[in-house]
């Protein structure tokens, strides 16, 4: 998925495509943030710490689930003297592991389809679907 397509289908901006990995029923797209800076003051004077892998589920393609694989970090903002987990603006909340676009699709389906059916279709926990 091109950078442009990621933006228009999932609202992901500021990231670039790195690679695809295919597993039985899923496509995993590795993406990387293009640049790191403080969202409050705009400074690039930061240090990335504690790298960890995040798998974010997006809207599936016809037959395969789609995941975005991202290396997340704890960011130390040297000029602001602050430390926080980097923000991913395409998530409905910081702890979510589905894109806002997938959440929106679930919300649009909810009046027409049972929570169980939606959960099975997207292969999600029904509680997550219920709470969308
Ligand atoms: Zn700052």
């Amino acid at each position: 998925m091109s950078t442009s397509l990621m933006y228009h289908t999932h609202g992901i901006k500021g990231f670039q495509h790195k690679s695809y990995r295919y597993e039985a029923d899923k496509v995993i797209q590795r993406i990387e943030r293009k640049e790191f800076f403080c969202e409050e003051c705009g400074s690039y004077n930061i240090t990335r710490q504690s790298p960890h892998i995040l798998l974010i589920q997006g809207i599936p393609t016809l037959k395969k689930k789609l995941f975005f694989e991202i290396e997340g970090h704890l960011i130390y903002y040297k000029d602001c003297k602050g430390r926080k987990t980097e923000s991913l603006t395409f998530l409905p909340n910081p702890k979510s592991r589905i894109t806002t676009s997938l959440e929106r699709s679930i919300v649009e389906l909810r009046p027409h389809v049972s929570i169980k059916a939606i959960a099975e279709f997207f292969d999600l926990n029904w509680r997550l679907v219920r709470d969308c």
Side-chain angles (χ1 to χ4, degrees), residues 114-127 129:
S114 73
I115 290 172
K116 182 179 179 204
I118 296 170
E120 287 174 2
F121 179 76
F122 290 117
D123 195 21
L124 295 168
N125 185 303
W126 69 269
R127 288 183 187 89
V129 173

Side-chain angles (χ1 to χ4, degrees), residues 38-43 77 79-80:
C38 177
E39 294 171 0
E40 292 180 25
C41 72
S43 172
Y77 300 96
D79 294 339
C80 295

Side-chain angles (χ1 to χ4, degrees), residues 39-98:
E39 294 171 0
E40 292 180 25
C41 72
S43 172
Y44 287 85
N45 192 13
I46 61 106
T47 301
R48 288 182 276 167
Q49 302 169 328
S50 307
H52 52 279
I53 299 298
L54 302 169
L55 270 182
I56 311 295
Q57 188 168 351
I59 298 172
T61 59
L62 283 177
K63 294 181 180 177
K64 305 253 184 192
K65 289 176 271 183
L66 172 66
F67 289 87
F68 297 100
E69 185 179 74
I70 301 163
E71 186 176 270
H73 304 88
L74 186 64
I75 309 283
Y76 176 60
Y77 300 96
K78 295 177 179 175
D79 294 339
C80 295
K81 308 278 188 241
R83 186 185 318 262
K84 65 179 184 178
T85 303
E86 67 182 280
S87 67
L88 299 173
T89 58
F90 54 92
L91 302 183
N93 66 67
K95 294 191 184 256
S96 181
R97 291 300 170 255
I98 64 172

